[in-house]
Amino acid sequence: MGGAGVGLRLPHLADVAAARPAAAWFEIHAENFLANPHASDLLVQIGESYPLSVHTVGVSIGSADGIDHHHLACIRELIDRIDPVLVSGHLAWSTHEGVYLNDLLPLPYTEEALEVLARHLGEVQDGLGRPYLIENPSSYVELTDSTMDEPQFLCALVERTGCRLLCDVSNIYLSGHNLGFDPHAYIDRMPADAVGELHLGGFTPEEDASDAGVGVLIDTHAGRISEPVWELYARAVRRFGAKPTLIEWDNDIPPLATILAEAARADRVAADALAAKVRHGVAG
Ligand SMILES: [Fe+2]
């Protein structure tokens, strides 16, 4: 897709449609457009000039209640209009008994959850008529019912379903900090051939009175990418190769030029990582 893309949020929509700034591609959140015909029309126009990717936040693929097929049909209508290059959603659940919870909630990494996900993934891909990439979540707790860790679970999901993954590098760093694992080792254990997209986003440190001053990182998408995440991104590019990479910035949204500057840095980091791999045979 010719370089890193950026998340296209509603405050920038009209400007992008009118001014067509230099950007490699855009990713949108489908749910922002489902009840907004004016925004959808602008998006169709934008799609004539840029590759688009669709990220869903309300499909709730991990919900034990099953998939909301009406919601899926609404997303299908949108993606049939804009023909995105990629469609994705989180390894999470966000609905219960018909109620939409405004959060992406964690799953236990068990055989039972794997079965539910595999079934739902088939329904979602059939409903949307295209592959649906699964994104690793940002985590704050570990569920004691889990029998696998997250990389093991993702490997098992890929093996069972053949699905592709969206690797959110920032989520790995943040979860590693919050849960106490090594994010570089996590990257090394991902099923590399399945990774079809990368995400980078800013996070916000918060004090946590219950810990010893280590604090917790919150996945706010409200700032620049941190230096250790750029290092982790370089490792991801060395391991997975050059993949479509997205800068996510959803809160305290700056001028688009600021987000595009982060995308340009992603391009430089990726190029340097690949060049280093060629020069030195660096593997990880
Ligand atoms: Fe993400």
Side-chain angles (χ1 to χ4, degrees):
M1 287 154 88
V6 302
L8 178 56
R9 305 302 173 234
L10 294 179
H12 294 139
L13 198 63
D15 280 353
V16 169
R20 309 288 160 119
W25 55 283
F26 291 111
E27 185 163 286
I28 58 109
H29 287 171
E31 283 78 3
N32 287 343
F33 293 85
L34 299 185
N36 192 337
H38 174 61
S40 305
D41 289 345
L42 285 177
L43 186 63
V44 170
Q45 291 173 29
I46 291 167
E48 291 164 4
S49 301
Y50 303 92
L52 296 176
S53 167
V54 168
H55 192 59
T56 65
V57 292
V59 167
S60 192
I61 198 161
S63 171
D65 287 346
I67 296 296
D68 178 344
H69 284 267
H70 173 70
H71 184 67
L72 212 53
C74 293
I75 294 173
R76 173 73 185 256
E77 206 176 310
L78 177 72
I79 66 177
D80 280 352
R81 290 186 72 196
I82 62 174
D83 192 22
V85 180
L86 297 163
V87 182
S88 59
H90 285 92
L91 179 65
W93 60 281
S94 55
T95 57
H96 182 61
E97 295 181 348
V99 176
Y100 274 82
L101 309 162
N102 192 22
D103 224 331
L104 296 163
L105 297 164
L107 287 166
Y109 296 141
T110 61
E111 192 61 32
E112 187 184 4
L114 203 54
E115 262 173 45
V116 168
L117 271 172
R119 188 169 66 246
H120 289 172
L121 186 59
E123 287 180 38
V124 169
Q125 295 189 137
D126 287 350
L128 298 181
R130 54 188 75 213
Y132 185 79
L133 278 65
I134 299 290
E135 175 176 0
N136 57 292
S138 50
S139 300
Y140 307 92
V141 293
E142 271 176 318
L143 301 182
T144 53
D145 284 350
S146 291
T147 56
M148 296 172 246
D149 66 13
E150 199 166 279
Q152 272 178 310
F153 189 80
L154 290 170
C155 288
L157 183 65
V158 167
E159 196 169 316
R160 183 166 305 197
T161 66
C163 73
R164 298 178 77 207
L165 300 177
L166 193 175
C167 173
D168 189 313
V169 176
S170 299
N171 285 357
I172 295 174
Y173 178 80
L174 175 154
S175 299
H177 174 91
N178 292 342
L179 304 182
F181 64 75
D182 175 3
H184 289 261
Y186 182 121
I187 291 279
D188 291 349
R189 293 175 59 213
M190 289 276 284
D193 292 345
V195 174
E197 183 183 349
L198 303 173
H199 271 182
L200 297 167
F203 52 72
T204 305
E206 270 192 17
E207 292 297 318
D208 183 345
S210 67
D211 64 34
V214 178
V216 62
L217 300 182
I218 309 293
D219 188 20
T220 52
H221 296 176
R224 293 182 185 279
I225 313 306
S226 72
E227 294 305 319
V229 170
W230 285 122
E231 282 173 30
L232 194 60
Y233 175 59
R235 191 183 190 100
V237 170
R238 290 196 299 269
R239 174 115 207 278
F240 308 142
K243 298 290 174 186
T245 296
L246 182 84
I247 305 296
E248 299 188 285
W249 202 321
D250 297 300
N251 292 296
D252 301 334
I253 297 177
L256 188 64
T258 304
I259 313 177
L260 288 169
E262 291 290 87
R265 182 166 180 189
D267 290 341
R268 291 195 299 275
V269 171
D272 288 349
L274 291 171
K277 184 174 177 177
V278 170
R279 269 198 316 272
H280 306 300
V282 178

